[in-house]
Amino acid sequence: MRKEVIIIGNGIAGITLAVLLQRKGISFSLLHRKGEKPPFALGETLPPSAMPFLQKLQLLNTFEENAYRKTYGYHSMWGSSRVTDINFYHHNPFKNGLKINKYQTLEYMRDLIRDDMVSYTKGFEIIHEAHGNTVVLAKNDGVKMVQGQILVDATGRNRAVLQKLKVDSEIHDELVAVSCHVPKIKHPKLTHEVYVESFEQGWGIVSALNETENICTMYTNKGHEILSKLKDISQCKSALSETIYLKDFIAQVNQAKFKGGNANSSVAKRISGSNWLALGDAAMSFDPLSSHGITNAIYTAARATETIEKKLSEADPDVFAEYGEAMQTIYQQYLISKNNLYRQETRWKDSEFWKQFFLVKDWY
Ligand SMILES: Cc1cc2nc3c(=O)[nH]c(=O)nc-3n(C[C@H](O)[C@H](O)[C@H](O)COP(=O)(O)OP(=O)(O)OC[C@H]3O[C@@H](n4cnc5c(N)ncnc54)[C@H](O)[C@@H]3O)c2cc1C
């Protein structure tokens, strides 16, 4: 099978790239692991600033129609015990963000490109990667050979292609997330259905997924002593007992299934090579506090589409290097703003979790 592009990874970055390449008539195969379970619903939020970009890409309807709901603002208690009300009413041109249903959105988009998806059960292997010719083996009981000019890593934080290409990552913190779905309660003191609160050992966010469920996610550092407590509902209640409103969302919950995972900031040491590139979390993964992971996945997919188109049509030798440099610049700017955000919380600046943001000087 010979294609112009081979994409590995079946998330928002890989699928968006596939849809955009299809529109341009650029041939591709998207390789993915067979029988992947629907991911745990994180209820990611897209901020209003992402809406014009989705509109420009003609993806806004897809995201809106498959979203859980529109969001019109959020509350946060960060830096003091006063609740801040962030209202999207003043945003232009869109006065709302979206609480996306990633699984449903992806299924809708996958239907557009299903004919070009290749599944495998026993891994993949890059057997040749040079001079504009990449050969990837998708391993099942037999082997399917896919040949292409350009290889794309869209495998998220796994960076499965980059690992095979021996490209390392720079890791900037140790943030981990613990999430659970809990019955929805409407907090009497809060109008918006998204609420963020910091606490001595980390921070947490609760938001409504739908009419019956809230998703509750707590963040701390890998190895922090609070982490094991956050994974058990009764211990979680006592660990969060000092919080102001966060504790109220789990007060009546007696059973919950927790899902943990990495949520740290990291970047691939190289984001592109002569005929490969990485996008989404595989290129750079953002702290969920930024609410920019999904926007990043879509943005990098759009930039990658332009880059691939130029490479194929003009045989421009520098275009992949420019893509990598642009992404590294974005990541450096992101690190500065992320750190500034954390530094707004000074109440526990000597604590194990918060002190890291006050020790680092070299981002200024
Ligand atoms: C707790 C939490 C909350 C978040 N909240 C928000 C938020 O509110 N707003 C926001 O914008 N972002 C948020 N994010 C970030 C957002 O979810 C990610 O940035 C985004 O989903 C990344 O998309 P992706 O396609 O790059 O990677 P992924 O979604 O990770 O997709 C990668 C795909 O590659 C597949 N894959 C992995 N390894 C292999 C392999 N070896 N072979 C083949 N396929 C493979 C995976 O199965 C998956 O399908 C949050 C993240 C976390 C952890």
Side-chain angles (χ1 to χ4, degrees), residues 245-311:
Y245 293 155
L246 210 49
K247 62 177 186 304
D248 299 341
F249 290 92
I250 52 167
Q252 303 303 321
V253 181
N254 294 320
Q255 253 191 335
K257 215 168 147 193
F258 289 87
K259 168 92 182 151
N262 268 343
N264 61 340
S265 302
S266 71
V267 64
K269 283 194 176 162
R270 286 177 65 208
I271 294 178
S272 59
S274 62
N275 60 329
W276 61 264
L277 48 80
L279 44 136
D281 277 9
M284 45 192 173
S285 37
F286 291 173
D287 188 316
L289 186 62
S290 71
S291 267
H292 267 73
I294 300 288
T295 312
N296 174 53
I298 298 164
Y299 175 75
T300 51
R303 280 291 295 260
T305 306
E306 286 169 14
T307 304
I308 289 169
E309 192 181 22
K310 276 195 190 157
K311 175 95 172 171

Side-chain angles (χ1 to χ4, degrees), residues 11-13 33 36 44-45 102 120 155-156 158 160 219 280-281 293-294:
I12 208 97
R33 297 181 289 200
E36 278 187 316
E44 289 100 329
T45 307
K102 198 160 71 175
Y120 61 82
T155 61
N158 274 1
Y219 297 91
D281 277 9
I294 300 288

Side-chain angles (χ1 to χ4, degrees), residues 7-16 30-34 36-37 39-40 42-47 98-100 102 106 110 120 123-124 153-161 163-164 176-179 203 205 207 215 217-219 259-264 279-298 300:
I7 307 166
I8 304 186
N10 195 7
I12 208 97
I15 297 287
T16 304
L30 187 145
L31 270 62
H32 68 101
R33 297 181 289 200
K34 193 171 184 171
E36 278 187 316
K37 288 190 202 137
F40 183 88
L42 292 170
E44 289 100 329
T45 307
L46 268 177
L98 290 177
K99 179 117 307 236
I100 69 159
K102 198 160 71 175
L106 283 174
R110 282 179 193 127
Y120 61 82
F124 71 91
D153 190 344
T155 61
R157 288 169 179 272
N158 274 1
R159 297 190 175 132
V161 175
Q163 281 190 42
K164 288 193 195 287
V176 287
V178 180
S179 304
W203 60 278
I205 177 167
S207 58
I215 163 115
T217 303
M218 268 73 68
Y219 297 91
K259 168 92 182 151
N262 268 343
N264 61 340
L279 44 136
D281 277 9
M284 45 192 173
S285 37
F286 291 173
D287 188 316
L289 186 62
S290 71
S291 267
H292 267 73
I294 300 288
T295 312
N296 174 53
I298 298 164
T300 51

